[in-house]
């Protein structure tokens, strides 16, 4: 009976949470969405806390909660904290590029790449990003479906369908504004839920020292994975964040450049605060695994198992909602970015069709539904979540990294440096992915290797074309003052209408 009670209470909390997300999407769609910029980038009106919490929630997915606990349970020990802490450190250098991202006044990464390096570069970048976002959306829906399945016993495919429908509903209705409101709520649930769970479990096992005494000293080493791996992960996160469409869309939604910068720094602090709790729970599960029923040998369910064993029923529901929050906060962002790119960077440029504001919002909403349905079908294949995530992050970042990142800061660069670096970076990451099977190969992650190849190629081609062949520099990625003023005036007039 106790097991049924825990699942029932947890399910009630999760259902209330899911219904609340749908309500937010409905009312935001009714009251706040007036034009396509409202829908895609929240009208560029979001403040410091909204952007910071949205960045944090987007970065904290299933891998940073259940996955982090599993790493601590396994060979990483306490040093598993670096899996998220490295991401928070990567937000520091990103903060100095955030104002430049916001300054472009663009909707997507391919749009900026296209301004500098042409339509082909933009199209190639869009295809890479869309392919990756399909995989990421499918993996997050899959992770949410697994949690619902564990709570209810409902067949997993039905749970995947439920998770996908909820993501479709509130993302399609409310767009970026609903996305950021729910992100704020989701991150608060994640942080508070895991904090309360940590306190409850520590009380149940007799405290931190009692746990530490049952573990080998090496498991309590803060740097067990080694500094090479730690630094590698910091570089990995910086590369994926800078060329990550869901990150860029948050900076573009900020009300000004200063807000974008400080939101990045605040997000780093928020993620650092979250990193400790799943790590500690994974260690607790390892220390007391012999007294925890139904814990997987590899610790894949260590977070939920240790919570169920040592925390009250309500806490089990809270942590279940936190895990679903973590997965859905990533799924909605990926879905909205994917639809925006399909419309803004592929359909409109290549079809030549023009839309009114209402038609653009309607078309993007329809695209959300279609894309999420396809992602749900992919999730039914039950491909490894780690495999899909690794492939997605690698393929979307390595190629466009130099064209987008360096394109923002280098004034004089040739047009061909962009497209060639995209191609070589993509080839490089695929080769390194195969050689290293998605892990470190000679101490280098595939994404870092691909980005390095992209950067090297960019500088070589640029030096040859600008300094030797004296070709003209590519156009600026930024709009002129007059263009910005005209855009703002148009958005204000459209919003008033």
């Amino acid at each position: 009976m106790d097991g049924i009670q825990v699942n029932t209470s947890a399910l009630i909390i999760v259902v209330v949470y899911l219904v609340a997300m749908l309500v937010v999407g409905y009312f935001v769609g009714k009251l706040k969405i007036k034009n396509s910029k409202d829908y895609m980038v929240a009208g560029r009106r979001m403040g410091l806390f909204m952007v910071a919490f949205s960045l944090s929630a987007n970065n904290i997915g299933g891998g940073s909660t259940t996955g982090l606990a599993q790493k601590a349970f396994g060979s990483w020990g306490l040093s598993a904290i670096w899996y998220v802490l490295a991401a928070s450190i990567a937000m520091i250098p990103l903060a100095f590029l955030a104002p430049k991202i916001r300054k472009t006044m663009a909707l997507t990464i391919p749009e900026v790449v296209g301004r500098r390096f042409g339509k082909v570069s933009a199209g190639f970048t869009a295809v890479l990003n869309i392919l990756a976002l399909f995989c990421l959306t499918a993996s997050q829906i899959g992770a949410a479906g697994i949690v619902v399945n564990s709570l209810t016993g409902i067949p997993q495919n039905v749970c995947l369908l439920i998770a996908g429908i909820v993501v479709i509903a509130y993302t399609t209705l409310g767009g970026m504004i609903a996305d950021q409101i729910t992100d704020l709520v989701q991150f608060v649930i994640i942080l508070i839920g895991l904090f309360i769970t940590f306190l409850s479990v520590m009380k149940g096992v007799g405290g931190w020292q009692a746990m530490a005494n049952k573990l080998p000293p090496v498991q309590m080493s803060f740097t067990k994975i080694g500094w090479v791996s730690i630094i590698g992960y910091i570089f990995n996160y910086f590369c994926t964040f800078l060329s990550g469409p869901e990150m860029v869309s948050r900076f573009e939604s900020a009300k000004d450049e200063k807000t974008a910068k400080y939101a990045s720094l605040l997000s780093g602090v928020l993620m650092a605060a979250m990193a400790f709790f799943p790590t500690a729970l994974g260690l607790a599960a390892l220390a007391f695994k012999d007294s925890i029923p139904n814990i997987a040998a590899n610790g894949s369910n260590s977070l939920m198992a240790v919570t169920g064993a040592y925390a009250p029923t309500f806490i089990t529901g809270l942590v279940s909602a936190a895990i679903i929050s973590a997965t859905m906060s990533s799924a909605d962002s990926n879905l909205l970015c994917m639809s925006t790119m399909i419309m803004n960077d592929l359909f409109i440029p290549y079809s030549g069709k023009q839309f009114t504001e209402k038609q653009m919002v309607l078309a993007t909403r329809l695209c959300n539904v279609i894309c999420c349905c396809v992602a749900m079908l992919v999730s039914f294949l039950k491909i490894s979540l780690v495999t899909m995530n690794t492939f997605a992050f690698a393929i979307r970042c390595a190629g466009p990294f130099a064209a987008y990142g360096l394109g923002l800061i280098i004034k004089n660069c040739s047009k061909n440096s962009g497209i060639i670096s995209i191609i070589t970076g993509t080839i490089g990451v695929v080769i390194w992915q195969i050689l290293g099977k998605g892990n470190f190969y000679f101490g280098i992650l595939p994404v870092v290797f691909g980005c390095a190849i992209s950067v090297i190629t960019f500088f070589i081609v640029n030096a040859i074309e600008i300094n030797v062949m004296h070709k003209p520099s590519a156009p600026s990625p930024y709009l002129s003052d007059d263009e910005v003023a005209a855009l703002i005036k148009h958005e204000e007039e459209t919003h008033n209408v």
Side-chain angles (χ1 to χ4, degrees), residues 418-439:
I419 183 61
I420 295 175
S421 67
I422 294 172
I423 295 171
T424 57
T426 303
I427 294 172
V429 76
V430 171
I431 292 174
W432 213 251
Q433 182 89 7
I434 295 171
L435 293 175
K437 298 179 180 179
N439 298 311

Side-chain angles (χ1 to χ4, degrees), residues 14-30 162-174 178 182 186 328:
V14 170
V15 169
V16 169
Y17 160 75
L18 294 178
V19 171
M21 295 300 98
L22 293 175
V23 170
V24 169
Y26 175 78
F27 281 105
V28 168
K30 283 288 186 181
I162 293 170
I165 289 172
V166 173
V167 171
I168 286 174
Y170 79 80
T171 305
T172 300
L173 289 170
T182 54
Q186 286 161 342
M328 287 194 170

Side-chain angles (χ1 to χ4, degrees), residues 33-83:
I33 304 300
K34 306 297 182 183
N35 56 49
S36 60
K37 298 299 185 296
D38 286 341
Y39 191 76
M40 295 176 177
V41 286
R44 306 190 196 276
R45 300 190 301 272
M46 306 312 281
L48 173 63
F49 289 100
M50 289 295 291
V51 177
F53 274 90
S54 187
L55 286 167
S56 303
N58 182 72
N59 290 330
I60 303 300
S64 302
T65 50
T66 55
L68 183 55
Q70 182 180 0
K71 287 182 180 295
F73 182 95
S75 60
W76 286 37
L78 182 61
S79 67
I81 195 172
W82 284 104
Y83 191 69

Side-chain angles (χ1 to χ4, degrees), residues 254-447:
K255 64 181 180 180
D256 53 40
E257 295 168 24
K258 184 178 179 180
T259 298
K261 177 180 179 179
Y262 289 110
S264 182
L265 294 173
L266 178 56
S267 175
V269 174
L270 292 170
M271 286 192 291
M274 207 288 302
F276 174 74
F277 304 123
T279 304
L281 292 169
L283 290 172
L286 177 63
F288 296 93
K289 62 181 179 180
D290 293 336
S291 59
I292 300 175
N294 302 319
I295 190 168
N298 65 353
S300 59
N301 67 340
S302 57
L303 194 152
M304 291 299 298
V306 74
T307 302
Y310 292 102
T313 299
F314 170 76
I315 301 300
T316 304
L318 196 61
V319 77
S320 299
I323 294 171
I324 292 181
S325 293
T327 57
M328 287 194 170
S329 65
S330 299
D332 56 19
S333 302
N334 295 330
L335 181 60
L336 184 58
C337 288
M338 180 165 41
S339 299
T340 301
M341 283 188 190
I342 290 173
M343 293 303 302
N344 188 69
D345 303 310
L346 291 181
F347 186 77
I348 292 177
Y350 287 94
S351 71
K353 185 175 176 60
Q354 297 298 315
F355 289 88
T356 65
E357 290 294 330
K358 287 185 177 181
Q359 288 173 334
M360 187 66 174
V361 172
L362 179 61
T364 308
R365 281 174 165 160
L366 178 61
C367 199
N368 275 333
V369 175
I370 295 171
C371 289
C372 197
C373 287
V374 174
M376 286 161 59
L377 292 175
V378 174
S379 71
F380 290 158
L381 300 176
K382 296 183 175 62
I383 302 170
S384 166
L385 301 184
V386 174
T387 299
M388 279 202 293
N389 284 348
T390 302
F391 169 77
F393 282 121
I395 203 71
R396 82 175 187 183
C397 295
F401 176 78
Y404 181 69
L406 296 179
L408 290 173
I409 60 177
I410 296 180
K411 184 176 181 180
N412 294 319
C413 52
S414 68
K415 190 172 183 179
N416 288 326
S417 63
I419 183 61
I420 295 175
S421 67
I422 294 172
I423 295 171
T424 57
T426 303
I427 294 172
V429 76
V430 171
I431 292 174
W432 213 251
Q433 182 89 7
I434 295 171
L435 293 175
K437 298 179 180 179
N439 298 311
F440 286 96
Y441 187 63
F442 290 112
I444 303 173
L445 282 165
V447 170

Side-chain angles (χ1 to χ4, degrees), residues 60-322:
I60 303 300
S64 302
T65 50
T66 55
L68 183 55
Q70 182 180 0
K71 287 182 180 295
F73 182 95
S75 60
W76 286 37
L78 182 61
S79 67
I81 195 172
W82 284 104
Y83 191 69
V84 173
L85 196 58
S88 67
I89 293 173
M91 296 299 292
I92 298 173
L94 189 64
F96 296 93
L97 290 170
K100 293 185 178 297
I101 294 172
R102 175 61 176 78
K103 186 180 179 182
T104 63
M105 298 289 285
L107 293 176
T108 65
I109 289 174
E111 182 180 343
V112 176
V113 171
R115 287 179 190 173
R116 294 227 74 177
F117 307 113
K119 190 175 181 180
V120 174
S121 298
F124 193 9
T125 300
V127 169
L128 291 174
N129 275 276
I130 291 166
L131 177 61
L133 289 168
F134 264 120
C135 294
L136 291 172
T137 303
S139 69
Q140 298 300 339
I141 290 173
I146 289 170
V147 175
V148 176
N149 168 256
S150 68
L151 291 175
T152 64
I154 296 173
Q156 189 170 327
N157 283 350
V158 178
C159 294
L160 294 174
L161 189 63
I162 293 170
I165 289 172
V166 173
V167 171
I168 286 174
Y170 79 80
T171 305
T172 300
L173 289 170
M176 179 62 77
I177 299 177
D179 199 351
Q180 292 205 15
I181 292 172
T182 54
D183 277 350
L184 189 151
V185 174
Q186 286 161 342
F187 189 81
V188 170
I189 292 174
I190 296 167
L191 188 59
I192 294 177
L194 291 176
F195 174 65
I196 294 175
T197 302
F198 164 75
L199 294 178
S200 182
V201 170
M202 285 298 108
K203 181 180 179 181
V205 302
W208 180 268
Q209 194 58 51
M211 179 193 74
N213 290 340
K214 290 182 68 67
L215 293 172
V218 68
Q219 287 295 98
M220 299 303 292
S221 171
F222 187 61
T223 58
K224 182 184 178 184
I225 61 173
W227 283 107
V228 172
S229 295
I230 292 170
I231 294 171
Y233 273 108
I234 294 172
F235 274 104
N236 172 68
Y237 282 119
F238 174 74
C239 293
T240 55
F241 288 170
L242 177 58
S243 47
E246 69 282 356
M247 299 290 288
V248 169
S249 66
R250 267 67 189 163
F251 291 133
E252 292 288 2
S253 73
K255 64 181 180 180
D256 53 40
E257 295 168 24
K258 184 178 179 180
T259 298
K261 177 180 179 179
Y262 289 110
S264 182
L265 294 173
L266 178 56
S267 175
V269 174
L270 292 170
M271 286 192 291
M274 207 288 302
F276 174 74
F277 304 123
T279 304
L281 292 169
L283 290 172
L286 177 63
F288 296 93
K289 62 181 179 180
D290 293 336
S291 59
I292 300 175
N294 302 319
I295 190 168
N298 65 353
S300 59
N301 67 340
S302 57
L303 194 152
M304 291 299 298
V306 74
T307 302
Y310 292 102
T313 299
F314 170 76
I315 301 300
T316 304
L318 196 61
V319 77
S320 299

